[in-house]
Amino acid sequence: MRFICLLLLIFPSLLFGQEFIPNYDESKVPDYQLPDPLVFENGEKVSSPEDWEKKRVETLRYFETEVYGISPAWDGEIKAEIITELLNALGGKAERREVKLTLQRNGKEVDLYVLIYLPKIEQAAPVILGLNFYGNHTLSDDPTIRVTDAWIRNNETYGATDHKASEKGRGLRRENWAVEEAINRGYGIATLYYGELDPDFDDGFENGVHALYQEERNESSWGAVGAWAWGLSRVMDYLETLDDVDAAKVAVLGHSRLGKAALWAGATDTRFALVISNNSGCGGAALSRRNYGETVGRINRAFPHWFAKRFDHYSENETALPIDQHQLIALMAPRPVYIASGVDDRWADPKGEFLSGLYANPVYQLFGKTGMPENKQPAVDQPVMGEIGYHVRSGGHGMLPYDMHQYFNFADKHW
Ligand code: GCU
């Protein structure tokens, strides 16, 4: 016994695992070679948009089997019920609804509560759809917006204790979502709490929308990121039924882990006409092979429920990945996609996020488009906007009014 204690004292890693020290030194980024997004597995070149359609299938398949897992095709029913409605929200400029979507399949049900703000304009409104971290009520002071009863991460600031949300969070994310600017500029905002789709803990995939499917799991089954992205598509199913929403102009947006989900939603569901990744980092826009900041190994150890089990085969073994994240960006082509970083958010590897966009360019060029308009990472607070948009904002990890402002500019440019 004493010997074991001594061992643990000298080698605490035996008990706690190896401490992860992120690399933040550019000179220590390994030499790496990325898979060419325009070469088929059999070595043939992709040389036309028609070829790309086939290569796209091959690429998507790898992201499914090796990274995010395969999400099931939806064959259930969605019931929609408006639970609260304000016809004169935001000083009369907007209509605000909260809609309960009940997903029914296989005798099971999951309720999702979607908060929707729409500008009062003549035509159907373009909408920006994104998941939120702490509940719909954090987007507005409006006391009638429901506080979610789904499992929530404890967070003192937002008054989330015992994994329950509370009034304390009301309105705290109002600035971040820039709902008022959206409305002033003619955009709607639609959002829902991500934990209603899948609670963010390692629950053996028994809760949220995973519960609608009871298939046996394998190494390529969908994880939480897959479930969040899949849920965005179910909301899209609903938005398509609304006359006051322009379903051809729905952008999908997400921050951080939800930025990973937004990218995966954009890749799997081409109904999303524009895709926005805010500080999505590892498993999002950042290149895995750079090993800068968060790595594949670290993310799989810290969040074993986020990805397909297969992804763990590439922990500390990124060069074996048949794809890298530039090809995730390429899956959006020729649709517009915006990648945003925070300069101090080194964990998310701002440069690796930029490079993903840059290396997706050949696919955009196949469509006669530019893609990322700059070869070098732009200076701080200098957004660039081709079909791929990019900025690195001053400050750290977060979705700020500055970021939203650029997204509206980007949507204005393309729509
Ligand atoms: C952690 C995680 C990141 C993730 C972030 C977030 O930092 O390591 O991958 O993006 O949480 O979602 O806030």
Side-chain angles (χ1 to χ4, degrees):
M1 186 63 193
R2 212 186 280 161
F3 176 67
I4 294 176
C5 288
L6 198 68
L7 262 183
L8 287 176
L9 210 65
I10 305 173
F11 302 110
S13 61
L14 289 175
L15 188 63
F16 300 112
Q18 210 69 46
E19 191 196 344
F20 176 73
I21 302 167
N23 171 42
Y24 290 136
D25 182 347
E26 200 58 47
S27 74
K28 294 206 177 112
V29 168
D31 282 334
Y32 60 90
Q33 220 188 340
L34 294 175
D36 186 331
L38 292 184
V39 174
F40 283 107
E41 229 174 337
N42 64 11
E44 279 173 31
K45 284 283 287 173
V46 174
S47 49
S48 66
E50 294 71 48
D51 286 352
W52 170 249
E53 277 317 302
K54 293 188 208 118
K55 176 63 190 173
R56 192 181 189 281
V57 172
E58 198 178 278
T59 308
L60 188 65
R61 197 70 196 159
Y62 273 135
F63 278 107
E64 287 180 327
T65 59
E66 310 305 298
V67 182
Y68 303 102
I70 303 168
S71 297
W74 175 233
D75 56 0
E77 298 241 5
I78 303 178
K79 268 196 341 206
E81 181 197 345
I82 296 180
I83 55 161
T84 60
E85 188 169 32
L86 283 183
L87 297 179
N88 287 304
L90 300 175
K93 288 183 290 194
E95 278 190 27
R96 202 276 291 152
R97 299 171 206 146
E98 205 168 7
V99 185
K100 176 177 162 188
L101 297 183
T102 305
L103 273 48
Q104 302 175 317
R105 183 181 184 275
N106 224 359
K108 301 219 163 182
E109 288 192 350
V110 171
D111 291 334
L112 310 173
Y113 291 85
V114 186
L115 176 67
I116 305 176
Y117 281 90
L118 291 177
K120 289 195 190 165
I121 53 178
E122 290 286 301
Q123 60 296 20
V127 166
I128 296 174
L129 164 65
L131 300 170
N132 64 66
F133 274 94
Y134 297 108
N136 293 345
H137 69 296
T138 61
L139 267 82
S140 166
D141 296 330
D142 176 349
T144 60
I145 297 174
R146 182 179 175 278
V147 176
T148 184
D149 56 15
W151 184 96
I152 193 161
R153 281 187 298 152
N154 288 337
N155 182 313
E156 216 178 291
T157 312
Y158 293 90
T161 46
D162 297 329
H163 299 296
K164 287 286 161 219
S166 79
E167 279 297 330
K168 203 175 161 196
R170 194 173 294 281
L172 291 187
R173 303 293 289 177
R174 203 183 54 196
E175 304 291 318
N176 305 78
W177 282 81
V179 178
E180 198 139 2
E181 182 180 354
I183 294 298
N184 290 339
R185 298 181 64 162
Y187 293 102
I189 295 279
T191 185
L192 67 157
Y193 169 58
Y194 82 126
E196 287 169 5
L197 285 164
D198 194 16
D200 197 356
F201 66 101
D202 195 3
D203 63 357
F205 306 100
E206 286 179 353
N207 299 302
V209 296
H210 284 122
L212 297 172
Y213 294 86
Q214 292 159 322
E215 90 279 34
E216 268 197 21
R217 292 185 60 86
N218 60 42
E219 293 216 311
S220 294
S221 292
W222 54 334
V225 174
W228 300 327
W230 182 92
L232 287 161
S233 288
R234 301 293 70 77
V235 178
M236 183 67 188
D237 294 343
Y238 170 68
L239 293 178
E240 278 190 320
T241 68
L242 301 179
D243 289 339
D244 42 13
V245 167
D246 183 350
K249 290 182 181 162
V250 174
V252 63
L253 150 91
H255 166 61
S256 209
R257 69 197 67 186
L258 303 181
K260 308 179 208 299
L263 287 171
W264 186 229
T268 48
D269 192 339
T270 54
R271 293 175 299 172
F272 293 115
L274 193 149
V275 182
I276 304 164
S277 141
N278 191 88
N279 308 178
S280 61
C282 181
L287 291 174
S288 298
R289 280 171 173 77
R290 268 174 53 82
N291 261 320
Y292 185 102
E294 188 173 27
T295 63
V296 171
R298 159 65 211 224
I299 207 168
N300 280 318
R301 283 189 294 278
F303 306 100
H305 58 294
W306 280 5
F307 299 93
K309 214 167 176 321
R310 276 289 307 167
F311 197 35
D312 199 26
H313 286 255
Y314 306 101
S315 297
E316 285 75 49
N317 185 26
E318 296 82 358
T319 49
L321 273 163
I323 35 78
D324 209 316
Q325 299 304 105
H326 62 307
Q327 289 165 281
L328 180 67
I329 304 301
L331 288 173
M332 314 306 163
R335 293 167 295 157
V337 51
Y338 201 109
I339 303 167
S341 311
V343 70
D344 299 329
D345 184 14
R346 296 183 304 166
W347 184 243
D349 187 12
K351 185 166 178 194
E353 294 187 310
F354 167 76
L355 289 175
S356 267
L358 180 65
Y359 297 141
N361 273 359
V363 180
Y364 279 83
Q365 284 157 6
L366 209 57
F367 289 89
K369 313 246 178 198
T370 312
M372 178 78 82
E374 299 290 333
N375 290 330
K376 281 223 172 83
Q377 190 181 13
V380 173
D381 297 332
Q382 298 292 321
V384 295
M385 298 188 195
E387 287 73 29
I388 304 178
Y390 180 82
H391 71 247
V392 54
R393 165 182 53 65
S394 27
H397 195 64
M399 188 170 85
L400 303 185
Y402 176 91
D403 301 310
M404 292 301 287
H405 188 69
Q406 309 315 322
Y407 306 150
F408 300 135
N409 290 345
F410 189 62
D412 279 357
K413 177 181 157 81
H414 290 288
W415 292 342

mmCIF file of all heavy atoms in Angstrom, residues 14 24 37 67 109 115 241 259 262 299 326 352 380 398:
data_model
loop_
_atom_site.group_PDB
_atom_site.id
_atom_site.type_symbol
_atom_site.label_atom_id
_atom_site.label_comp_id
_atom_site.label_asym_id
_atom_site.label_seq_id
_atom_site.Cartn_x
_atom_site.Cartn_y
_atom_site.Cartn_z
ATOM 1 N N LEU A 14 -0.390 8.915 -12.920
ATOM 2 C CA LEU A 14 -0.961 7.562 -12.868
ATOM 3 C C LEU A 14 -2.418 7.622 -12.424
ATOM 4 O O LEU A 14 -3.255 6.817 -12.834
ATOM 5 C CB LEU A 14 -0.181 6.683 -11.882
ATOM 6 C CG LEU A 14 1.223 6.277 -12.313
ATOM 7 C CD1 LEU A 14 1.918 5.505 -11.195
ATOM 8 C CD2 LEU A 14 1.152 5.403 -13.567
ATOM 9 N N TYR A 24 1.357 26.758 -27.652
ATOM 10 C CA TYR A 24 1.014 28.078 -28.166
ATOM 11 C C TYR A 24 2.214 28.704 -28.891
ATOM 12 O O TYR A 24 2.305 29.914 -29.026
ATOM 13 C CB TYR A 24 0.569 28.995 -27.013
ATOM 14 C CG TYR A 24 -0.770 28.601 -26.422
ATOM 15 C CD1 TYR A 24 -0.965 28.577 -25.045
ATOM 16 C CD2 TYR A 24 -1.853 28.278 -27.239
ATOM 17 C CE1 TYR A 24 -2.194 28.218 -24.494
ATOM 18 C CE2 TYR A 24 -3.084 27.920 -26.695
ATOM 19 C CZ TYR A 24 -3.235 27.895 -25.331
ATOM 20 O OH TYR A 24 -4.456 27.546 -24.798
ATOM 21 N N PRO A 37 -8.308 18.709 -50.998
ATOM 22 C CA PRO A 37 -9.775 18.570 -51.081
ATOM 23 C C PRO A 37 -10.261 18.211 -52.477
ATOM 24 O O PRO A 37 -11.402 17.776 -52.643
ATOM 25 C CB PRO A 37 -10.294 19.959 -50.669
ATOM 26 C CG PRO A 37 -9.143 20.896 -50.853
ATOM 27 C CD PRO A 37 -7.890 20.076 -50.675
ATOM 28 N N VAL A 67 -15.538 11.499 -37.543
ATOM 29 C CA VAL A 67 -15.498 12.670 -36.649
ATOM 30 C C VAL A 67 -16.803 12.852 -35.854
ATOM 31 O O VAL A 67 -16.815 12.679 -34.633
ATOM 32 C CB VAL A 67 -15.159 13.960 -37.437
ATOM 33 C CG1 VAL A 67 -15.062 15.161 -36.483
ATOM 34 C CG2 VAL A 67 -13.854 13.809 -38.209
ATOM 35 N N GLU A 109 -41.148 11.240 -27.405
ATOM 36 C CA GLU A 109 -41.294 12.668 -27.723
ATOM 37 C C GLU A 109 -40.163 13.484 -27.098
ATOM 38 O O GLU A 109 -39.723 13.189 -25.997
ATOM 39 C CB GLU A 109 -42.595 13.205 -27.124
ATOM 40 C CG GLU A 109 -43.827 12.731 -27.820
ATOM 41 C CD GLU A 109 -45.077 13.510 -27.379
ATOM 42 O OE1 GLU A 109 -45.012 14.285 -26.387
ATOM 43 O OE2 GLU A 109 -46.095 13.333 -28.051
ATOM 44 N N LEU A 115 -37.314 30.288 -29.744
ATOM 45 C CA LEU A 115 -37.649 31.714 -29.616
ATOM 46 C C LEU A 115 -37.394 32.377 -30.969
ATOM 47 O O LEU A 115 -36.309 32.220 -31.533
ATOM 48 C CB LEU A 115 -36.757 32.332 -28.539
ATOM 49 C CG LEU A 115 -36.879 33.833 -28.317
ATOM 50 C CD1 LEU A 115 -38.246 34.201 -27.734
ATOM 51 C CD2 LEU A 115 -35.753 34.320 -27.388
ATOM 52 N N THR A 241 -41.977 25.974 -42.986
ATOM 53 C CA THR A 241 -43.447 25.984 -43.078
ATOM 54 C C THR A 241 -44.028 27.381 -42.848
ATOM 55 O O THR A 241 -45.236 27.569 -42.959
ATOM 56 C CB THR A 241 -44.075 25.037 -42.022
ATOM 57 O OG1 THR A 241 -43.834 25.579 -40.706
ATOM 58 C CG2 THR A 241 -43.520 23.619 -42.115
ATOM 59 N N GLY A 259 -20.527 26.412 -32.324
ATOM 60 C CA GLY A 259 -19.972 26.772 -33.633
ATOM 61 C C GLY A 259 -19.591 25.504 -34.392
ATOM 62 O O GLY A 259 -19.751 25.416 -35.613
ATOM 63 N N ALA A 262 -22.817 24.314 -35.630
ATOM 64 C CA ALA A 262 -23.321 25.101 -36.765
ATOM 65 C C ALA A 262 -22.624 24.678 -38.059
ATOM 66 O O ALA A 262 -23.260 24.535 -39.111
ATOM 67 C CB ALA A 262 -23.123 26.597 -36.505
ATOM 68 N N ILE A 299 -9.588 17.064 -26.672
ATOM 69 C CA ILE A 299 -11.044 17.277 -26.767
ATOM 70 C C ILE A 299 -11.775 15.953 -26.544
ATOM 71 O O ILE A 299 -12.817 15.913 -25.882
ATOM 72 C CB ILE A 299 -11.427 17.958 -28.110
ATOM 73 C CG1 ILE A 299 -12.719 18.757 -27.944
ATOM 74 C CG2 ILE A 299 -11.587 16.983 -29.263
ATOM 75 C CD1 ILE A 299 -13.028 19.688 -29.118
ATOM 76 N N HIS A 326 -10.321 21.939 -43.070
ATOM 77 C CA HIS A 326 -10.511 22.783 -44.264
ATOM 78 C C HIS A 326 -11.551 22.145 -45.181
ATOM 79 O O HIS A 326 -12.275 22.825 -45.896
ATOM 80 C CB HIS A 326 -9.191 23.016 -45.001
ATOM 81 C CG HIS A 326 -8.544 21.766 -45.521
ATOM 82 N ND1 HIS A 326 -8.289 20.659 -44.728
ATOM 83 C CD2 HIS A 326 -8.106 21.428 -46.759
ATOM 84 C CE1 HIS A 326 -7.723 19.710 -45.451
ATOM 85 N NE2 HIS A 326 -7.601 20.161 -46.698
ATOM 86 N N GLY A 352 -5.232 28.667 -37.216
ATOM 87 C CA GLY A 352 -5.706 27.395 -37.781
ATOM 88 C C GLY A 352 -7.123 27.535 -38.329
ATOM 89 O O GLY A 352 -7.489 26.875 -39.308
ATOM 90 N N VAL A 380 -5.891 42.279 -36.804
ATOM 91 C CA VAL A 380 -6.981 42.263 -35.817
ATOM 92 C C VAL A 380 -8.027 43.328 -36.159
ATOM 93 O O VAL A 380 -7.684 44.451 -36.545
ATOM 94 C CB VAL A 380 -6.373 42.501 -34.409
ATOM 95 C CG1 VAL A 380 -7.469 42.660 -33.366
ATOM 96 C CG2 VAL A 380 -5.464 41.351 -34.035
ATOM 97 N N GLY A 398 -15.647 34.442 -27.115
ATOM 98 C CA GLY A 398 -16.986 34.990 -26.871
ATOM 99 C C GLY A 398 -17.647 35.405 -28.169
ATOM 100 O O GLY A 398 -16.972 35.600 -29.185
#
